Amino acid sequence: MAITDLTPGFSDPVRDAAVSFRIILDAMARPGEVKSLPVVAPVPAPLNAAAVCVALSLLDSDTPYWLAPDLRNDRIIGHLSFHTGAPFEPDYKKAQFAFFPVEDLATVMQDLSIGTDEYPDRSATAVALVAGFGATGGVRLTGPGIETANDLSPVGVTPAGWKALERNSILFPLGVDILFAGPESLAAIPRSTRLTELEA
Amino acid sequence: MTTETQDEGLEYNFAYLDEQTKRMIRRALLKAVAVPGYQVPFAGREMPMPYGWGTGGIQVTASILESEDVLKVIDQGADDTTNAVSIRKFFQRVAGIATTEKTEEATLIQTRHRIPETPLSEGQILVYQVPIPEPLRFLEPRETETRKMHALEEYGLMHVKLYEDIARHGHIATTYAYPVKVNDRYIMDPSPTPKFDNPKMNRCAALQLFGAGREKRIYAVPPYTDVVSLDFEDHPFEIQGWDQPCSICGDSTSFLDEVIMDDQGTRMFVCSDTDHCASRQAQGYQGPGQEAAE
Ligand SMILES: [Zn+2]
């Protein structure tokens, strides 16, 4: 593949990474709050804007990442390798970041790294791609970062997906932290958040 | 983007740190937020100042700073100490950001030893400079052991230590770095703030981040998270109080420092939070020291 085939990354890498990180930090610190992306970098399909923001601001040569088969092609692996230097990891159990369609949540969550008792930080971050966030249904969230309760309804989470997230929160302080990446915005459910399913 | 310094013509990356170091610290910060009170190890780098100057806090600030931020830096409650002024100037120089002394104007506050008296809001982040991040270190010097104690939630030793205090002094004598339990899970060192400030950490609307440069640890308390000071049923946690109000602004609810006013050794008590005291004075409040001087 020629360099000219590559899609550009952030237009102002230092600034764009800083403002993107602040949104991701804010989302993780306030679970269930949907945050608009402050910058949009060119998106190689079928990734989406928030997934690209997360990748360009957090990945580098120290962070093996995994892409679900549906998101995987030479162009995307080339794009992420060129802009971040991060190695593609074919085995998602070994990945520090896993990118996948939200429909795969239940399957992927089973085997992502949850850290160890002494190093709960040695866990994976899940980046679940969603079409957007709905107004009803979803889950009610409580816990650190939430004043009373936040409702979140990422489009496309299956009942088995919610069950996987409930199991994940029981593992605390071990567990996976989830970023829901949309075309214009993102939201997070870290392992510290407790979930109750809402009627759709 | 690089910021060119006017004096030396040297070029730095925005906020001094290189992008790879920032990314590593950013990833550690996300883990710290996800596991409140747990100390995340990070591979810190050397900063152009000694450890005692708050290099851990500076690395955290440098990693989260964006050009629109308004930064406040305090040391012992004051904006004008050498340490606070140096850190503020450092970030003005390497990041070109705006600074302020007013708590409510700041988006980012880096602190050593105090939490501002003005309640913090949702749009703010408080970054603490931490010298010794491990609350169990003075009970158990081995890192492998303290890590196990945190993993197993084995905090009996800490309660024994506090109880020995009561046996010896009749009360818990610890007044600074008074240990807290975060989110009902991890025992955390709140950094060497006075225990007076511990209640401000509990369910605070702002995100609180802690950086320890020498030991290379980052930890966090997300907004609205329970932070409980350790105590006993028969010896409940209490904060310090003073018999008199601030001599300058008359506040009887703020943390006071004893200061020597002249070479006769005249002493008085004044607010440690200089911005809080100044804004009260601007609102017309007066303390007993001011009335006597008139
Ligand atoms: Zn005062």
Side-chain angles (χ1 to χ4, degrees), chain A residues 12-15 17-19 21-22 24-25 28-30 57-63 96-97 117-121 123-125 143-147 172-173 177 190-192 194, chain B residues 1 13-14 19-20 22-23 26-27 29-31 33-36 38 40-41 63-69 122 125 147-148 151 183 185-186 203 205-207 209 222-225:
Chain A
D12 182 345
V14 173
R15 182 187 176 279
V19 295
F21 171 70
R22 274 292 273 277
I24 300 166
L25 177 67
M28 197 67 93
R30 300 170 194 281
S57 51
L58 293 176
L59 298 189
D60 59 26
S61 54
D62 295 334
T63 54
Q96 285 188 32
F97 286 83
D117 288 333
E118 291 176 19
Y119 293 94
D121 55 301
S123 56
T125 302
I146 302 167
E147 188 171 13
F172 183 89
D177 308 313
R191 65 192 87 175
S192 58
R194 292 178 292 277
Chain B
M1 178 167 61
N13 190 30
F14 175 77
E19 290 302 295
Q20 187 166 8
K22 283 185 198 167
R23 267 194 305 274
R26 287 168 180 169
R27 292 192 297 260
L29 283 166
L30 294 177
K31 302 286 189 194
V33 166
V35 190
Y38 165 73
V40 182
S63 302
I64 62 177
L65 204 59
E66 54 182 60
S67 49
E68 293 80 11
D69 270 316
E122 288 203 348
I125 300 178
R147 211 157 256 290
K148 253 181 232 157
N183 186 33
R185 178 56 182 83
Y186 285 98
R203 299 193 62 79
L207 171 61
L209 305 174
Y224 307 114
T225 300

Coordinates of all heavy atoms in Angstrom, one line a residue, chain A residues 12-15 17-19 21-22 24-25 28-30 57-63 96-97 117-121 123-125 143-147 172-173 177 190-192 194, chain B residues 1 13-14 19-20 22-23 26-27 29-31 33-36 38 40-41 63-69 122 125 147-148 151 183 185-186 203 205-207 209 222-225:
Chain A
D12 N -4.1 18.7 13.8 CA -3.1 19.4 14.7 C -2.9 18.3 15.8 O -3.6 18.3 16.9 CB -3.7 20.7 15.3 CG -2.7 21.4 16.2 OD1 -1.7 20.8 16.7 OD2 -3.0 22.6 16.5
P13 N -2.0 17.4 15.6 CA -1.9 16.2 16.5 C -1.8 16.5 18.0 O -2.5 15.9 18.8 CB -0.6 15.5 16.0 CG -0.5 15.9 14.6 CD -1.0 17.3 14.5
V14 N -1.0 17.5 18.4 CA -0.8 17.7 19.8 C -2.1 18.3 20.5 O -2.6 17.8 21.5 CB 0.4 18.7 20.1 CG1 0.5 19.1 21.5 CG2 1.7 18.0 19.6
R15 N -2.6 19.3 19.8 CA -3.8 19.9 20.3 C -5.0 19.0 20.3 O -5.8 18.9 21.2 CB -4.1 21.2 19.5 CG -5.4 21.9 20.0 CD -5.8 23.1 19.2 NE -7.0 23.7 19.7 CZ -8.2 23.1 19.5 NH1 -8.4 22.1 18.8 NH2 -9.3 23.7 20.1
A17 N -5.1 15.8 20.2 CA -5.0 14.7 21.2 C -5.4 15.2 22.6 O -6.0 14.5 23.3 CB -3.6 14.1 21.2
A18 N -4.9 16.4 22.9 CA -5.2 17.0 24.2 C -6.7 17.2 24.4 O -7.3 16.8 25.5 CB -4.5 18.3 24.4
V19 N -7.4 17.8 23.5 CA -8.8 18.0 23.7 C -9.6 16.7 23.6 O -10.6 16.5 24.3 CB -9.4 19.1 22.7 CG1 -8.7 20.4 22.9 CG2 -9.2 18.7 21.2
F21 N -8.5 13.7 24.6 CA -8.3 13.1 25.9 C -9.1 13.7 27.0 O -9.7 12.9 27.8 CB -6.8 13.1 26.3 CG -6.6 12.6 27.7 CD1 -6.8 11.3 28.0 CD2 -6.4 13.5 28.8 CE1 -6.7 10.8 29.3 CE2 -6.3 13.0 30.1 CZ -6.5 11.7 30.3
R22 N -9.3 15.0 27.0 CA -10.1 15.6 28.0 C -11.5 15.1 28.0 O -12.2 15.0 29.0 CB -10.0 17.1 27.9 CG -8.8 17.7 28.6 CD -8.9 17.6 30.2 NE -9.6 18.7 30.8 CZ -9.1 19.9 31.0 NH1 -7.8 20.1 30.8 NH2 -9.8 20.8 31.6
I24 N -12.5 12.2 26.8 CA -12.5 10.8 27.2 C -12.4 10.7 28.8 O -13.1 9.9 29.4 CB -11.3 10.0 26.6 CG1 -11.5 10.0 25.0 CG2 -11.3 8.6 27.1 CD1 -10.2 9.6 24.3
L25 N -11.5 11.5 29.3 CA -11.3 11.6 30.8 C -12.7 12.0 31.4 O -13.1 11.4 32.4 CB -10.2 12.6 31.1 CG -10.0 12.8 32.6 CD1 -9.4 11.5 33.3 CD2 -9.0 14.0 32.9
M28 N -15.1 9.2 31.3 CA -14.8 8.1 32.2 C -15.1 8.6 33.7 O -15.5 7.8 34.5 CB -13.3 7.8 32.1 CG -12.9 6.4 32.7 SD -13.7 5.0 31.8 CE -12.4 4.6 30.7
A29 N -14.9 9.9 34.0 CA -15.1 10.4 35.3 C -16.6 10.6 35.6 O -17.0 10.8 36.7 CB -14.4 11.7 35.5
R30 N -17.4 10.7 34.5 CA -18.9 10.9 34.7 C -19.6 9.9 33.9 O -20.2 10.2 32.8 CB -19.2 12.4 34.3 CG -18.5 13.4 35.1 CD -18.6 14.8 34.6 NE -17.6 15.7 35.3 CZ -17.7 16.2 36.5 NH1 -18.8 16.0 37.2 NH2 -16.8 16.9 37.0
S57 N -5.6 9.3 20.1 CA -5.2 10.0 21.3 C -4.6 9.0 22.3 O -3.8 9.5 23.2 CB -6.3 10.9 21.9 OG -7.4 10.1 22.1
L58 N -4.9 7.7 22.3 CA -4.4 6.8 23.4 C -3.5 5.7 22.9 O -2.7 5.2 23.8 CB -5.6 6.2 24.1 CG -6.5 7.2 24.9 CD1 -7.7 6.4 25.5 CD2 -5.7 7.9 26.0
L59 N -3.5 5.4 21.7 CA -2.7 4.2 21.2 C -1.2 4.7 20.9 O -1.0 5.8 20.3 CB -3.3 3.5 20.0 CG -4.6 2.9 20.1 CD1 -4.9 2.1 18.8 CD2 -4.7 2.0 21.3
D60 N -0.3 3.8 21.1 CA 1.1 4.0 20.6 C 1.8 2.6 20.6 O 1.1 1.6 20.8 CB 1.9 5.1 21.4 CG 2.0 4.8 22.8 OD1 2.0 3.6 23.2 OD2 2.1 5.7 23.6
S61 N 3.1 2.6 20.4 CA 3.8 1.3 20.3 C 3.7 0.5 21.5 O 4.0 -0.7 21.5 CB 5.3 1.6 19.9 OG 5.8 2.5 20.9
D62 N 3.3 1.0 22.7 CA 3.2 0.3 23.9 C 1.9 -0.4 24.1 O 1.6 -1.1 25.1 CB 3.4 1.2 25.2 CG 4.8 1.7 25.2 OD1 5.7 1.1 24.7 OD2 5.0 2.8 25.8
T63 N 0.9 -0.2 23.2 CA -0.4 -0.7 23.4 C -0.9 -1.5 22.3 O -1.5 -1.0 21.3 CB -1.4 0.5 23.5 OG1 -1.3 1.4 22.4 CG2 -1.2 1.3 24.8
Q96 N -4.6 -4.5 24.8 CA -4.9 -3.5 25.8 C -6.2 -2.7 25.4 O -6.8 -2.1 26.3 CB -3.7 -2.6 26.0 CG -2.6 -3.2 26.7 CD -1.5 -2.2 27.1 OE1 -1.7 -1.1 27.3 NE2 -0.3 -2.7 27.1
F97 N -6.4 -2.6 24.1 CA -7.6 -1.9 23.6 C -8.3 -2.8 22.6 O -7.6 -3.4 21.8 CB -7.2 -0.6 22.9 CG -6.8 0.5 23.9 CD1 -5.5 0.6 24.4 CD2 -7.8 1.5 24.3 CE1 -5.2 1.6 25.3 CE2 -7.4 2.5 25.2 CZ -6.1 2.5 25.7
D117 N -5.4 -9.0 41.1 CA -5.8 -8.4 42.4 C -4.8 -7.3 42.8 O -5.2 -6.3 43.3 CB -5.8 -9.5 43.4 CG -6.9 -10.5 43.3 OD1 -8.0 -10.0 42.8 OD2 -6.8 -11.6 43.7
E118 N -3.5 -7.5 42.5 CA -2.5 -6.5 42.9 C -2.3 -5.4 41.9 O -1.9 -4.3 42.2 CB -1.2 -7.2 43.2 CG -1.3 -8.1 44.5 CD -0.1 -8.9 44.9 OE1 1.0 -8.6 44.4 OE2 -0.3 -9.8 45.7
Y119 N -2.7 -5.7 40.7 CA -2.6 -4.7 39.6 C -3.9 -4.7 38.8 O -3.9 -5.1 37.6 CB -1.4 -5.0 38.7 CG 0.0 -4.8 39.3 CD1 0.6 -5.9 39.9 CD2 0.6 -3.5 39.4 CE1 1.8 -5.7 40.6 CE2 1.8 -3.4 40.0 CZ 2.4 -4.5 40.6 OH 3.6 -4.3 41.2
P120 N -4.9 -4.2 39.4 CA -6.2 -4.1 38.6 C -6.1 -3.2 37.4 O -7.0 -3.2 36.5 CB -7.2 -3.6 39.6 CG -6.4 -3.0 40.7 CD -5.1 -3.7 40.7
D121 N -5.1 -2.4 37.3 CA -4.9 -1.5 36.2 C -4.4 -2.2 34.9 O -4.5 -1.7 33.8 CB -3.9 -0.3 36.5 CG -2.6 -0.9 37.0 OD1 -2.5 -1.6 38.0 OD2 -1.6 -0.6 36.3
S123 N -5.6 -4.1 32.9 CA -6.8 -4.6 32.3 C -7.0 -4.0 30.9 O -6.3 -3.0 30.6 CB -8.0 -4.2 33.2 OG -8.0 -2.8 33.4
A124 N -7.9 -4.5 30.1 CA -8.2 -4.0 28.8 C -9.2 -2.9 28.9 O -10.0 -2.8 29.8 CB -8.7 -5.1 27.9
T125 N -9.2 -2.0 27.9 CA -10.2 -1.0 27.7 C -11.0 -1.4 26.4 O -10.4 -1.7 25.4 CB -9.6 0.4 27.4 OG1 -8.8 0.7 28.6 CG2 -10.7 1.4 27.3
G143 N -23.0 5.1 41.1 CA -21.6 4.8 41.5 C -20.8 6.1 41.4 O -21.3 7.2 41.2
P144 N -19.4 5.9 41.5 CA -18.5 7.0 41.5 C -18.7 7.8 40.2 O -18.9 7.2 39.1 CB -17.1 6.3 41.5 CG -17.4 5.0 42.2 CD -18.8 4.6 41.8
G145 N -18.6 9.1 40.3 CA -18.8 10.0 39.2 C -20.2 10.4 38.9 O -20.4 11.2 38.0
I146 N -21.2 9.9 39.6 CA -22.6 10.1 39.3 C -23.3 10.7 40.6 O -23.2 10.0 41.6 CB -23.3 8.8 38.9 CG1 -22.5 8.2 37.6 CG2 -24.8 9.0 38.6 CD1 -22.9 6.8 37.3
E147 N -23.9 11.8 40.4 CA -24.5 12.5 41.6 C -25.6 11.7 42.2 O -25.7 11.4 43.3 CB -24.9 13.9 41.2 CG -25.3 14.7 42.4 CD -25.6 16.2 42.2 OE1 -25.6 16.6 41.0 OE2 -25.7 16.9 43.1
F172 N -15.4 -5.7 40.3 CA -14.7 -4.5 40.8 C -13.9 -4.9 42.0 O -14.4 -5.6 42.9 CB -15.6 -3.4 41.1 CG -14.9 -2.2 41.6 CD1 -14.5 -1.2 40.7 CD2 -14.7 -2.0 42.9 CE1 -13.8 -0.1 41.1 CE2 -14.0 -0.8 43.4 CZ -13.5 0.1 42.5
P173 N -12.6 -4.5 42.2 CA -11.8 -3.5 41.4 C -11.2 -4.1 40.1 O -10.6 -3.4 39.4 CB -10.8 -3.1 42.4 CG -10.6 -4.2 43.3 CD -11.9 -4.9 43.4
D177 N -13.0 -1.5 31.4 CA -13.6 -0.2 31.3 C -14.1 -0.1 29.9 O -13.4 -0.3 28.9 CB -12.7 0.9 31.7 CG -12.0 0.6 33.0 OD1 -12.8 0.3 34.0 OD2 -10.8 0.8 33.1
P190 N -17.2 2.7 33.3 CA -16.0 2.1 33.9 C -16.5 0.9 34.8 O -17.7 0.8 35.1 CB -15.4 3.2 34.7 CG -16.4 4.2 34.9 CD -17.4 4.1 33.8
R191 N -15.6 0.1 35.2 CA -15.9 -1.1 36.0 C -16.6 -0.7 37.4 O -17.3 -1.5 38.0 CB -14.7 -1.9 36.3 CG -13.7 -1.2 37.1 CD -12.3 -1.8 37.1 NE -11.5 -1.4 36.0 CZ -10.2 -1.7 35.8 NH1 -9.7 -2.5 36.6 NH2 -9.6 -1.2 34.8
S192 N -16.4 0.5 37.8 CA -16.9 1.0 39.1 C -18.4 1.3 39.1 O -19.0 1.5 40.1 CB -16.1 2.2 39.6 OG -16.3 3.3 38.6
R194 N -22.4 0.7 38.7 CA -23.4 -0.3 38.9 C -24.6 0.0 37.9 O -24.9 1.1 37.7 CB -23.9 -0.3 40.3 CG -22.8 -0.8 41.3 CD -23.3 -0.7 42.8 NE -23.5 0.7 43.2 CZ -22.5 1.5 43.7 NH1 -21.3 1.0 43.7 NH2 -22.8 2.7 44.1
Chain B
M1 N 2.2 21.2 17.7 CA 2.3 22.6 18.1 C 3.5 22.7 19.1 O 3.6 21.9 20.0 CB 1.0 23.0 18.8 CG 1.1 24.4 19.3 SD -0.6 25.1 19.7 CE -1.0 23.9 21.0
N13 N 7.7 21.0 23.4 CA 6.4 20.5 23.0 C 5.4 21.3 23.9 O 5.7 21.7 25.0 CB 6.3 19.0 23.2 CG 5.0 18.4 22.6 OD1 4.5 19.0 21.6 ND2 4.5 17.4 23.2
F14 N 4.1 21.4 23.5 CA 3.1 22.0 24.3 C 3.1 21.4 25.7 O 3.0 20.1 25.8 CB 1.7 21.9 23.6 CG 0.6 22.4 24.5 CD1 0.3 23.8 24.6 CD2 -0.3 21.5 25.1 CE1 -0.7 24.3 25.4 CE2 -1.3 22.0 25.9 CZ -1.5 23.4 26.0
E19 N 4.8 13.8 23.6 CA 3.5 13.2 23.5 C 3.4 11.7 24.0 O 2.4 11.3 24.5 CB 3.1 13.2 22.0 CG 2.8 14.6 21.5 CD 1.7 15.3 22.3 OE1 0.6 14.8 22.3 OE2 2.0 16.3 23.0
Q20 N 4.5 11.0 23.8 CA 4.5 9.6 24.3 C 4.3 9.5 25.8 O 3.5 8.7 26.3 CB 5.7 8.8 23.9 CG 5.6 7.3 24.2 CD 6.6 6.5 23.5 OE1 7.6 7.0 22.8 NE2 6.5 5.2 23.6
K22 N 3.0 11.9 27.7 CA 1.6 12.3 28.0 C 0.6 11.1 27.8 O -0.3 10.9 28.6 CB 1.2 13.4 27.1 CG 1.7 14.8 27.4 CD 1.1 15.8 26.4 CE 1.9 17.1 26.4 NZ 1.4 17.9 25.3
R23 N 0.7 10.4 26.7 CA -0.2 9.3 26.4 C -0.2 8.2 27.5 O -1.2 7.7 28.0 CB 0.1 8.6 25.1 CG -0.6 9.2 23.9 CD -0.5 8.3 22.7 NE 0.9 8.0 22.3 CZ 1.6 8.8 21.6 NH1 1.1 9.9 21.0 NH2 2.9 8.5 21.3
R26 N -1.8 9.7 30.4 CA -3.3 9.7 30.2 C -3.9 8.4 30.3 O -5.0 8.3 30.9 CB -3.5 10.3 28.7 CG -3.2 11.8 28.6 CD -3.2 12.2 27.2 NE -2.9 13.7 27.1 CZ -2.6 14.3 26.0 NH1 -2.5 13.7 24.9 NH2 -2.4 15.6 26.1
R27 N -3.3 7.3 29.9 CA -3.9 6.0 30.0 C -3.9 5.6 31.5 O -4.9 5.0 32.0 CB -3.0 5.0 29.2 CG -3.1 5.1 27.7 CD -2.6 3.9 27.0 NE -1.1 3.7 27.2 CZ -0.2 4.1 26.4 NH1 -0.4 4.7 25.2 NH2 1.1 3.9 26.7
L29 N -4.2 7.7 34.0 CA -5.3 8.5 34.6 C -6.7 7.9 34.4 O -7.5 7.9 35.3 CB -5.3 9.9 34.0 CG -4.2 10.9 34.5 CD1 -4.1 12.1 33.6 CD2 -4.5 11.3 35.9
L30 N -6.9 7.3 33.2 CA -8.2 6.7 32.9 C -8.4 5.5 33.8 O -9.5 5.2 34.4 CB -8.3 6.2 31.5 CG -8.3 7.4 30.4 CD1 -8.4 6.8 29.0 CD2 -9.5 8.3 30.7
K31 N -7.3 4.7 34.1 CA -7.4 3.6 35.0 C -7.6 4.1 36.4 O -8.4 3.5 37.2 CB -6.1 2.7 35.0 CG -5.7 2.2 33.7 CD -6.6 1.0 33.2 CE -6.0 0.4 32.0 NZ -6.9 -0.5 31.3
V33 N -9.1 6.7 37.4 CA -10.5 7.2 37.5 C -11.5 6.0 37.6 O -12.4 6.0 38.4 CB -10.9 8.1 36.3 CG1 -12.4 8.3 36.3 CG2 -10.2 9.4 36.5
A34 N -11.2 4.9 36.9 CA -12.0 3.7 36.9 C -11.9 2.9 38.2 O -12.8 2.2 38.5 CB -11.7 2.8 35.7
V35 N -10.8 3.0 38.9 CA -10.6 2.3 40.1 C -10.3 3.3 41.2 O -9.1 3.5 41.6 CB -9.5 1.2 40.0 CG1 -9.5 0.3 41.3 CG2 -9.6 0.4 38.8
P36 N -11.3 4.0 41.7 CA -11.1 5.2 42.6 C -10.2 4.8 43.8 O -10.5 3.8 44.5 CB -12.5 5.6 43.1 CG -13.4 5.1 41.9 CD -12.7 3.8 41.5
Y38 N -7.2 3.6 44.0 CA -6.1 2.7 43.7 C -4.9 3.4 43.0 O -5.1 4.2 42.2 CB -6.6 1.6 42.8 CG -5.5 0.7 42.2 CD1 -4.8 -0.2 42.9 CD2 -5.2 0.9 40.8 CE1 -3.7 -0.9 42.4 CE2 -4.1 0.2 40.2 CZ -3.4 -0.7 41.0 OH -2.4 -1.4 40.4
V40 N -2.1 3.8 40.6 CA -1.7 3.2 39.3 C -0.2 3.6 39.1 O 0.2 4.8 39.2 CB -2.5 3.8 38.1 CG1 -2.0 3.2 36.8 CG2 -4.0 3.6 38.4
P41 N 0.7 2.6 38.9 CA 2.1 2.9 38.6 C 2.2 3.5 37.2 O 1.5 3.1 36.3 CB 2.8 1.5 38.7 CG 1.8 0.5 39.1 CD 0.4 1.1 38.9
S63 N -0.2 16.7 31.3 CA -0.8 15.7 30.5 C -2.3 15.9 30.2 O -2.9 15.4 29.3 CB -0.7 14.3 31.1 OG 0.7 14.0 31.3
I64 N -2.9 16.7 31.1 CA -4.4 17.0 30.9 C -4.6 18.4 30.3 O -5.7 18.7 29.9 CB -5.2 16.8 32.2 CG1 -4.8 17.7 33.3 CG2 -5.1 15.3 32.6 CD1 -5.7 17.6 34.5
L65 N -3.6 19.2 30.4 CA -3.8 20.6 30.0 C -4.2 20.8 28.6 O -3.7 20.1 27.7 CB -2.4 21.3 30.3 CG -2.4 22.8 30.5 CD1 -3.2 23.2 31.7 CD2 -0.9 23.3 30.7
E66 N -5.1 21.7 28.3 CA -5.4 22.1 26.9 C -5.3 23.6 26.9 O -5.3 24.3 27.9 CB -6.7 21.6 26.4 CG -7.9 21.9 27.3 CD -9.2 21.3 26.8 OE1 -9.3 20.1 26.7 OE2 -10.1 22.1 26.5
S67 N -5.1 24.2 25.7 CA -4.8 25.6 25.6 C -5.9 26.5 26.1 O -5.6 27.7 26.5 CB -4.4 26.0 24.1 OG -5.5 25.5 23.3
E68 N -7.1 26.1 26.2 CA -8.2 26.9 26.7 C -8.3 26.9 28.3 O -9.1 27.6 28.8 CB -9.6 26.4 26.2 CG -9.7 26.6 24.7 CD -9.1 25.5 23.9 OE1 -8.6 24.5 24.4 OE2 -8.9 25.7 22.6
D69 N -7.4 26.1 28.9 CA -7.5 26.0 30.4 C -7.1 27.3 31.1 O -6.3 28.0 30.6 CB -6.6 24.9 30.9 CG -7.3 23.5 31.0 OD1 -8.5 23.5 31.4 OD2 -6.8 22.5 30.5
E122 N -18.4 21.4 38.9 CA -18.3 20.3 38.0 C -17.3 20.5 36.8 O -16.7 19.6 36.3 CB -19.6 19.9 37.3 CG -20.6 19.3 38.3 CD -21.7 18.5 37.6 OE1 -21.8 18.6 36.4 OE2 -22.4 17.7 38.3
I125 N -11.0 20.6 37.7 CA -10.2 19.5 38.1 C -9.2 20.0 39.1 O -8.5 21.0 38.9 CB -9.5 18.9 36.8 CG1 -10.5 18.4 35.8 CG2 -8.6 17.7 37.3 CD1 -9.9 17.9 34.5
R147 N 1.0 -3.8 48.6 CA 0.2 -4.1 47.4 C -0.8 -5.3 47.8 O -2.0 -5.3 47.4 CB 1.1 -4.5 46.3 CG 0.5 -4.1 44.9 CD 1.6 -3.9 43.9 NE 1.8 -2.5 43.6 CZ 1.0 -1.8 42.9 NH1 -0.2 -2.2 42.5 NH2 1.2 -0.5 42.7
K148 N -0.3 -6.3 48.5 CA -1.1 -7.4 48.9 C -2.2 -6.9 49.9 O -3.4 -7.4 49.8 CB -0.3 -8.4 49.7 CG 0.0 -9.7 48.9 CD 0.8 -10.7 49.7 CE 2.0 -11.1 48.9 NZ 3.2 -11.6 49.6
A151 N -4.8 -5.4 47.9 CA -5.5 -6.4 47.1 C -6.6 -7.1 47.9 O -7.7 -7.4 47.5 CB -4.5 -7.3 46.5
N183 N -14.8 5.2 48.0 CA -15.8 4.3 47.4 C -15.9 3.0 48.2 O -16.1 2.0 47.6 CB -15.3 4.1 45.9 CG -16.4 3.3 45.1 OD1 -17.6 3.4 45.4 ND2 -15.9 2.5 44.2
R185 N -13.7 1.1 49.3 CA -12.8 0.0 48.9 C -11.4 0.3 49.3 O -10.8 -0.4 50.1 CB -13.0 -0.2 47.4 CG -12.0 -1.3 46.8 CD -12.2 -2.6 47.5 NE -11.3 -3.7 47.0 CZ -10.0 -3.8 47.5 NH1 -9.5 -3.0 48.3 NH2 -9.3 -4.8 47.0
Y186 N -10.7 1.3 48.7 CA -9.3 1.5 48.9 C -9.1 2.5 50.0 O -9.7 3.6 50.0 CB -8.6 1.9 47.6 CG -8.4 0.8 46.6 CD1 -9.3 0.6 45.6 CD2 -7.4 -0.1 46.8 CE1 -9.2 -0.5 44.7 CE2 -7.2 -1.2 45.9 CZ -8.1 -1.3 44.9 OH -7.9 -2.4 44.0
R203 N -17.7 13.4 48.0 CA -18.8 13.8 47.1 C -18.5 15.1 46.5 O -19.5 15.9 46.2 CB -20.1 13.7 47.7 CG -20.5 12.3 48.2 CD -21.9 12.0 48.5 NE -22.8 12.2 47.4 CZ -23.0 11.3 46.4 NH1 -22.4 10.1 46.5 NH2 -23.8 11.6 45.4
A205 N -17.8 17.9 43.7 CA -18.3 17.9 42.3 C -17.2 17.9 41.2 O -17.4 17.5 40.1 CB -19.2 19.2 42.1
A206 N -16.0 18.2 41.7 CA -14.9 18.3 40.7 C -14.2 16.9 40.7 O -14.2 16.2 41.7 CB -13.9 19.4 41.1
L207 N -13.5 16.7 39.6 CA -12.6 15.5 39.5 C -11.3 15.8 40.3 O -10.7 16.8 40.1 CB -12.3 15.2 38.1 CG -11.2 14.1 37.7 CD1 -11.6 12.8 38.3 CD2 -11.0 14.1 36.2
L209 N -7.4 14.5 41.0 CA -6.3 13.7 40.5 C -5.1 13.9 41.4 O -4.8 15.0 41.8 CB -6.0 14.0 39.1 CG -7.2 14.0 38.1 CD1 -6.7 14.5 36.7 CD2 -7.7 12.6 38.0
P222 N -13.1 10.2 41.5 CA -14.1 10.8 40.5 C -15.1 11.7 41.3 O -15.1 11.7 42.5 CB -14.8 9.6 39.9 CG -14.0 8.4 40.3 CD -13.3 8.8 41.5
P223 N -15.8 12.6 40.6 CA -16.8 13.4 41.2 C -17.8 12.6 42.0 O -18.1 11.4 41.6 CB -17.5 14.1 40.0 CG -16.6 14.0 38.9 CD -15.8 12.8 39.1
Y224 N -18.4 13.2 43.0 CA -19.5 12.6 43.8 C -19.1 11.2 44.3 O -20.0 10.3 44.3 CB -20.8 12.5 42.9 CG -21.2 13.8 42.3 CD1 -21.1 14.1 41.0 CD2 -21.5 14.9 43.2 CE1 -21.5 15.3 40.4 CE2 -21.8 16.1 42.7 CZ -21.8 16.3 41.3 OH -22.1 17.6 40.8
T225 N -17.9 11.0 44.7 CA -17.5 9.7 45.2 C -17.3 9.8 46.7 O -16.9 10.8 47.2 CB -16.1 9.3 44.6 OG1 -16.3 9.2 43.2 CG2 -15.6 8.0 45.1

